[in-house]
Amino acid sequence: MARVVVDVMLKPEILDPQGQAVANALPRLGVTDVSSVRIGRRIEIDFAGEPDLDRAREIADKLLANPVIEDFDIRVVQDAAEVA
Amino acid sequence: MARVVVDVMLKPEILDPQGQAVANALPRLGVTDVSSVRIGRRIEIDFAGEPDLDRAREIADKLLANPVIEDFDIRVVQDAAEVA
C-alpha cells in the first residue's frame, strides 16, 4: 500500500479570511512574531497497489482543488509506519 | 523569515465523511485502486524571525486542532523559494 499526499492551498493573491482570523487571535496567546497564517487542505490518498502520481494529479485537479483560486502539490509518502 | 507547517488530520478512528465522499466519487473518474481518502488541514505559519516550534505547537494545540478528534504534526520548512 502506498500513500499520496495532496496539499491544496489558496493562491498567494487570494485572501484567506480563515487564516487571517487565526493570525488576529495570536496576540491574545502572547504570540507577536507571526507575520502570516494560511490555511489549506491536506488530502491523503491510499492506493491499494502502486501509487499513481498521474492518477492522483487527475483526482486533485478534478475533485480536490479549484484551479481558479487554489494551487496544489502532490507527493508520494512511503512511510510504512504511517501508512500501516 | 521562516515557515512552520502544521498538518491537522482526523484521528484514524474518527469517520471522515468528506474523504469518504471523494473516495465514493473516484470510480466515476475511472479510478478503482484507491483504498482510502482522508481530508485534513494544512496550516502555514510564517514567523517574522526564527521559527519557534514550541510556540507553533502551542498555537496548533490551542487554536488549530481539536485534540479530542484530531492529531497534528509540526515541521519547519526552510525553502527560501517557497517562503519568498
Side-chain angles (χ1 to χ4, degrees):
Chain A
M1 198 160 78
R3 174 170 291 174
V4 172
V5 172
V6 182
D7 290 323
V8 180
M9 301 297 294
L10 285 169
K11 288 178 193 280
E13 64 270 26
I14 305 288
L15 286 176
D16 177 4
Q18 196 185 3
Q20 193 59 48
V22 170
N24 291 344
L26 291 180
R28 271 184 276 144
L29 287 180
V31 180
T32 55
D33 54 345
V34 167
S35 57
S36 150
V37 177
R38 307 277 293 175
I39 299 185
R41 294 195 302 288
R42 172 191 163 98
I43 299 111
E44 297 178 348
I45 304 173
D46 288 341
F47 282 85
E50 279 300 293
D52 186 336
L53 268 187
D54 290 338
R55 191 49 58 94
R57 200 178 306 278
E58 191 191 337
I59 297 171
D61 203 41
K62 290 193 180 165
L63 275 184
L64 302 175
N66 175 351
V68 176
I69 59 169
E70 291 170 329
D71 288 326
F72 64 87
D73 182 60
I74 288 186
R75 64 186 186 281
V76 177
V77 177
Q78 291 283 24
D79 185 332
E82 192 189 347
V83 173
Chain B
M1 199 159 79
R3 173 170 290 174
V4 172
V5 172
V6 182
D7 289 323
V8 180
M9 300 299 293
L10 285 169
K11 288 179 193 280
E13 65 269 25
I14 305 287
L15 286 176
D16 176 4
Q18 196 185 3
Q20 194 58 48
V22 170
N24 291 345
L26 291 181
R28 271 184 276 142
L29 287 180
V31 180
T32 55
D33 55 345
V34 166
S35 57
S36 149
V37 177
R38 306 278 292 176
I39 299 185
R41 294 195 303 288
R42 172 191 163 100
I43 299 112
E44 296 178 348
I45 304 173
D46 289 341
F47 281 86
E50 279 300 295
D52 186 336
L53 269 186
D54 290 338
R55 191 49 60 94
R57 199 177 306 278
E58 191 190 338
I59 296 171
D61 204 41
K62 290 192 179 166
L63 275 184
L64 302 175
N66 175 353
V68 176
I69 58 168
E70 291 169 329
D71 288 325
F72 65 88
D73 180 61
I74 288 185
R75 64 186 186 280
V76 177
V77 177
Q78 292 282 23
D79 184 333
E82 193 190 346
V83 174

